[in-house]
Amino acid sequence: MASTLEKFIHSLDLRALPRVLQIQSGIYGQGSVYETFGNECSLSTEEVIKVIGFKINKLIASICENNEVSQFSAKVELPLNFPGLYKVVADKTPYVSIEEIATKVSIGPTRFGHPRFYSAEDIKLANFTIKHDEQITFTSVEEVHGTMAVNCVVVRNNRPHSFTLPLSQEGEFYECEDDQIYTLKEIAEWKIPKCRNRIVKLSNSLHMRGSSSPLPENFDGCLILMPVYEVQAVMKFRKDIVHILSDLDVEVKDVTDCYDISSFLQPFSLEDIFERTSKEFPMVVEIMEGPSGSQKPYNLLSTGKEIVIYKKYQAARVLASEMRSDSCKRRYLIPMNYKGKFKRRPREFPTAYDLEIARSEKEHLHVVATKAFTSPHKELFSVSVGDQFLVQQRQTSEVLYEGRKKLVDVLACEQILSDSYKKVLLPMYMEGGFVEVIHDKKQYHLSEICKEFHLPFNVKVSVRDLSIEKDVLAAAPGLQFEEEITDSYLLISSASSPVESWEIPVYRLNMLVHLLNKDVQTVEPPATRTTVEEVSEEEYYMLRRYENLTLHPPPRPPKKPTAPPPTFAVPKEGVSDVLHAPKNFYIDTTKKLFLDQAADVLELQVSCQNDLVHREINDMTEKATLVETTATEGLARNYEAEEKEEEEHDYTYIDENIIENIRKVFHDTSIRNEYTLSKGRR
């Protein structure tokens, strides 16, 4: 039976692919493929295509009132990278079986693919009973003892209980409320069920809309989203992939059962290739759809080129960001075989908690304070700008709080005086400012840094990698190594001239290939070239977003019983030390419109700048702030001056004379403040 392409795609299960379609009523568009953004606009009647995949290309949005489209709302087209964060409104229409859920709802390996439902009635299983209204998390679909079933989890008393539900299980299943926030792209990929629309509520609109926004000004309500799919297909006599929008006005008929599907080329993604067994490598493939890029190895991956894939494996990378004051930071994934050398640069620490994270058994962490802190307890030390400390260890100490003794976490340090050392205790919740003093002038390979020091770690390239034609890291003013991650790679070379091999990421590269029945000339791959991969801002922030915050600094007690205790989040400089990068996470690159907002959201999640120093006189506060700013700027100027001198030999460290200048400036200002205060009291 013929149907429109749109109806067919809306009802199609991804697991049923590929499908062969015959065009029953064709269409001819006068524009070229390039004028329609790469999408086919002409299909002839009786033409046969093989559908190999489809994904949401854009969303048609209408303003929602009382779960219905507003009668005054016009439909607007939203790209997937339209900025803003949204909450998903739970669908009030029940699903009548587990099979309907598995067919219409995206269930996959990431947390996005773990939808939650509850049953209107109790479900009795062999071992226990699932109560009505109890949240059931669906984690995957697989065959169990010859029957297709969904793997599920319920949590009771903070303990997960796993079980399976067969697709034949019937009942009334309702979607649970979702308190998470998502981008439109995430909603499109995971949160729009087949044959249903999705209602979302705008949750956050940071940097969201300009004058050209299709939504009303200051809009903060709900939207009904209807997807428009992009269909990926193979034609009979073409070697490339064609893209067709589902709203193209054609009628199609499914002829899979009566057509030889093997007569079409079989495209494979890099993920498909990676899932093949190791015995199937090496293999020769032809690229049907390649990535963009003119630098190696991307210029080897253009459509029609033949490449050899030698093997698959997991490889370590270090995620690094440029140290720049502006917003134009570049981010890189650096391989462990990078042959350049690095010299250390001073790290900045916003709290005593970060000092604890960064301290090492190998060497004493030496820091200088750039911000003052007044301790609310006489047992703990108050810090002045210019104070120097050697960080020792974390411990507990008794303090007097509201007339009672209380144990608090503290950081034991040695204050460096002119001719001696003084043992002091800093509260772990202390928010101030510290800059590292570097005494180590050694140059390190990347592997040595990862082995000997805690990340994050600040460096600058001192010897560039000569094996790289253009070492982008050498031009960076400074780099912060944020964390070490493990990712999946394929080792490839050109089939026509295999003189060197390259590593390509499996989950960050959009490619489709088809296998060629050709023998590989040499089983052993040629020498592997080092490749520093630059990642986009969106890829970077999306990676950071999926990491778990597992450590938090202890909260600061209130100064007065009536004052609510301020909350503290893990400061951004210390976050990556306790984070773990997601493995095998695939990200598409979209426009920068979303990036500023994603960065702001990340900043809100991982930083909280609270002033802990209590002042009675505003003028004193302004002068103290001026001293702190002078101290920080003085240190920064000193770094920059020394950088120019040491390009050929030494490396960055703090000139200790400037510390005395900082202390002197702060001391003189403090005397003037005290004089002003005493004069005012008279």
Side-chain angles (χ1 to χ4, degrees):
M1 179 183 294
S3 67
T4 64
L5 179 61
E6 187 172 37
K7 286 184 179 179
F8 177 81
I9 294 300
H10 273 269
S11 62
L12 182 60
D13 186 352
L14 274 170
R15 291 169 297 177
L17 294 178
R19 307 300 294 177
V20 179
L21 303 182
Q22 186 179 59
I23 308 300
Q24 299 295 296
S25 176
I27 185 172
Y28 175 73
Q30 294 182 350
S32 69
V33 171
Y34 302 101
E35 291 172 341
T36 55
F37 304 99
N39 298 305
E40 291 291 322
C41 54
S42 298
L43 291 171
S44 304
T45 302
E46 302 296 325
E47 189 168 8
V48 178
I49 62 174
K50 182 174 77 168
V51 176
I52 59 173
F54 58 89
K55 61 182 180 181
I56 295 178
N57 175 271
K58 58 187 176 182
L59 296 165
I60 305 300
S62 304
I63 295 177
C64 173
E65 294 179 358
N66 300 321
N67 292 339
E68 294 182 356
V69 176
S70 170
Q71 59 180 333
F72 304 107
S73 171
K75 292 183 178 181
V76 296
E77 186 177 297
L78 299 180
L80 299 188
N81 60 357
F82 188 76
L85 295 174
Y86 304 82
K87 280 193 173 183
V88 171
V89 178
D91 194 344
K92 302 301 182 184
T93 305
Y95 292 80
V96 297
S97 68
I98 298 298
E99 183 175 12
E100 185 183 8
I101 295 175
T103 302
K104 294 183 178 180
V105 178
S106 297
I107 301 174
T110 72
R111 68 180 181 89
F112 293 134
H114 294 169
R116 292 175 299 135
F117 291 84
Y118 65 89
S119 173
E121 299 178 353
D122 292 352
I123 301 175
K124 294 183 178 180
L125 303 175
N127 299 328
F128 66 101
T129 299
I130 304 170
K131 299 176 182 177
H132 68 280
D133 298 338
E134 188 170 18
Q135 288 192 0
I136 308 169
T137 302
F138 291 49
T139 59
S140 62
V141 181
E142 65 179 5
E143 187 175 332
V144 180
H145 305 303
T147 303
M148 293 303 296
V150 176
N151 292 316
C152 306
V153 174
V154 296
V155 178
R156 293 177 179 175
N157 299 323
N158 295 323
R159 295 183 60 186
H161 299 271
S162 300
F163 58 94
T164 60
L165 288 175
L167 298 190
S168 58
Q169 178 75 45
E170 296 182 347
E172 280 189 24
F173 300 95
Y174 292 88
E175 197 174 35
C176 296
E177 294 291 341
D178 191 342
D179 58 356
Q180 299 296 311
I181 55 176
Y182 305 95
T183 64
L184 274 188
K185 184 172 181 289
E186 292 164 349
I187 291 172
E189 290 178 349
W190 293 100
K191 299 298 177 181
I192 299 185
K194 302 299 293 292
C195 303
R196 297 192 183 200
N197 296 329
R198 169 61 77 191
I199 300 176
V200 298
K201 179 173 176 57
L202 180 63
S203 175
N204 193 310
S205 59
L206 291 174
H207 303 295
M208 184 173 174
R209 294 182 298 274
S211 57
S212 60
S213 171
L215 296 179
E217 186 177 358
N218 300 323
F219 175 76
D220 62 353
C222 291
L223 296 172
I224 295 182
L225 304 179
M226 183 178 70
V228 175
Y229 291 90
E230 178 187 282
V231 180
Q232 293 175 299
V234 178
M235 290 187 167
K236 188 74 174 177
F237 302 107
R238 289 173 61 172
K239 285 189 174 182
D240 59 340
I241 305 298
V242 297
H243 301 267
I244 308 166
L245 292 182
S246 62
D247 58 356
L248 194 65
D249 187 18
V250 294
E251 289 191 347
V252 297
K253 180 181 179 182
D254 190 341
V255 294
T256 306
D257 295 336
C258 55
Y259 204 90
D260 182 12
I261 202 168
S262 62
S263 61
F264 290 91
L265 290 179
Q266 176 59 50
F268 295 97
S269 66
L270 294 187
E271 295 95 317
D272 296 330
I273 297 294
F274 192 82
E275 289 174 0
R276 289 180 166 255
T277 64
S278 298
K279 294 180 180 179
E280 298 179 69
F281 294 90
M283 62 180 68
V284 182
V285 301
E286 181 181 349
I287 298 170
M288 300 181 69
E289 190 171 74
S292 60
S294 57
Q295 294 183 340
K296 287 186 177 181
Y298 300 115
N299 60 347
L300 303 175
L301 306 179
S302 56
T303 301
K305 289 284 187 71
E306 294 182 8
I307 61 172
V308 179
I309 303 178
Y310 290 96
K311 59 181 178 179
K312 64 174 185 176
Y313 52 88
Q314 301 281 326
R317 293 288 188 272
V318 170
L319 179 62
S321 296
E322 282 186 335
M323 295 170 58
R324 297 170 64 102
S325 58
D326 55 28
S327 60
C328 301
K329 290 184 180 181
R330 298 169 72 180
R331 276 90 181 189
Y332 306 97
L333 284 174
I334 309 173
M336 289 301 176
N337 63 353
Y338 178 80
K339 300 176 181 64
K341 289 186 177 181
F342 302 93
K343 56 186 178 181
R344 295 173 62 176
R345 280 180 61 89
R347 291 170 286 178
E348 295 183 15
F349 307 99
T351 69
Y353 177 77
D354 291 283
L355 297 178
E356 158 63 16
I357 290 176
R359 72 180 183 87
S360 166
E361 299 296 334
K362 180 183 175 182
E363 63 176 1
H364 284 303
L365 179 60
H366 180 188
V367 296
V368 56
T370 59
K371 186 176 181 180
F373 169 78
T374 302
S375 171
H377 307 292
K378 64 179 181 179
E379 299 90 347
L380 305 181
F381 190 69
S382 293
V383 176
S384 299
V385 173
D387 285 348
Q388 296 184 65
F389 302 96
L390 293 178
V391 179
Q392 301 294 325
Q393 62 185 5
R394 181 176 183 167
Q395 61 188 53
T396 57
S397 177
E398 273 192 351
V399 297
L400 195 64
Y401 175 62
E402 295 182 354
R404 291 180 296 179
K405 289 185 176 181
K406 182 179 179 181
L407 280 177
V408 296
D409 288 330
V410 296
L411 187 64
C413 299
E414 287 186 342
Q415 184 187 11
I416 303 175
L417 304 175
S418 57
D419 56 356
S420 62
Y421 297 89
K422 176 184 176 182
K423 293 185 180 296
V424 297
L425 299 177
L426 304 180
M428 291 295 290
Y429 57 74
M430 168 191 169
E431 181 168 353
F434 302 92
V435 174
E436 182 179 20
V437 181
I438 300 293
H439 302 284
D440 178 10
K441 299 181 181 180
K442 180 182 174 182
Q443 299 183 72
Y444 293 89
H445 287 290
L446 180 60
S447 57
E448 292 176 317
I449 292 175
C450 293
K451 182 179 179 181
E452 298 181 21
F453 300 100
H454 290 293
L455 301 186
F457 197 74
N458 295 351
V459 298
K460 178 177 173 59
V461 174
S462 56
V463 179
R464 74 179 188 88
D465 188 342
L466 297 177
S467 68
I468 301 177
E469 185 176 341
K470 184 180 179 182
D471 188 351
V472 292
L473 301 183
L479 294 168
Q480 182 176 75
F481 292 163
E482 299 189 13
E483 62 186 312
E484 186 177 342
I485 69 171
T486 302
D487 210 350
S488 303
Y489 290 87
L490 296 172
L491 188 65
I492 69 160
S493 74
S494 170
S496 58
S497 55
V499 293
E500 56 190 9
S501 61
W502 304 83
E503 294 177 326
I504 58 173
V506 173
Y507 296 96
R508 285 186 303 279
L509 205 59
N510 286 324
M511 271 183 63
L512 287 174
V513 302
H514 73 92
L515 301 179
L516 298 178
N517 189 18
K518 289 185 177 182
D519 294 330
V520 180
Q521 297 177 359
T522 55
V523 177
E524 289 298 322
T528 303
R529 293 290 298 270
T530 301
T531 306
V532 176
E533 181 187 354
E534 183 172 356
V535 295
S536 68
E537 284 188 82
E538 187 199 7
E539 288 172 329
Y540 170 81
Y541 283 116
M542 296 295 282
L543 283 169
R544 308 299 296 169
R545 180 178 173 184
Y546 296 116
E547 293 151 6
N548 299 317
L549 297 177
T550 57
L551 296 176
H552 298 273
R556 180 190 179 199
K559 290 183 179 179
K560 299 178 181 180
T562 56
T567 57
F568 291 82
V570 179
K572 61 184 177 183
E573 287 86 344
V575 169
S576 55
D577 186 75
V578 298
L579 302 181
H580 302 282
K583 306 299 185 288
N584 301 342
F585 179 71
Y586 173 81
I587 304 172
D588 285 326
T589 302
T590 55
K591 295 181 181 177
K592 192 180 185 300
L593 197 57
F594 161 69
L595 302 181
D596 292 336
Q597 173 238 325
D600 285 344
V601 172
L602 183 71
E603 294 289 336
L604 290 172
Q605 291 175 338
V606 301
S607 67
C608 179
Q609 298 297 322
N610 297 318
D611 185 10
L612 301 181
V613 184
H614 183 66
R615 300 284 195 271
E616 290 181 325
I617 299 178
N618 291 336
D619 184 55
M620 289 179 64
T621 304
E622 293 171 1
K623 291 181 179 178
T625 304
L626 178 61
V627 173
E628 293 161 11
T629 304
T630 304
T632 305
E633 290 177 350
L635 290 171
R637 285 196 298 270
N638 188 63
Y639 302 154
E640 292 171 0
E642 291 194 354
E643 277 297 321
K644 294 179 180 178
E645 286 182 10
E646 60 174 18
E647 283 299 325
E648 298 179 356
H649 51 283
D650 255 349
Y651 97 31
T652 305
Y653 63 95
I654 296 179
D655 183 352
E656 298 183 16
N657 292 329
I658 200 170
I659 298 173
E660 292 305 319
N661 294 335
I662 296 170
R663 189 190 303 279
K664 185 175 184 302
V665 171
F666 185 75
H667 179 69
D668 293 344
T669 305
S670 298
I671 292 174
R672 289 196 298 270
N673 288 340
E674 289 175 6
Y675 175 75
T676 304
L677 180 60
S678 61
K679 187 176 180 181
R681 284 174 177 168
R682 293 194 204 124

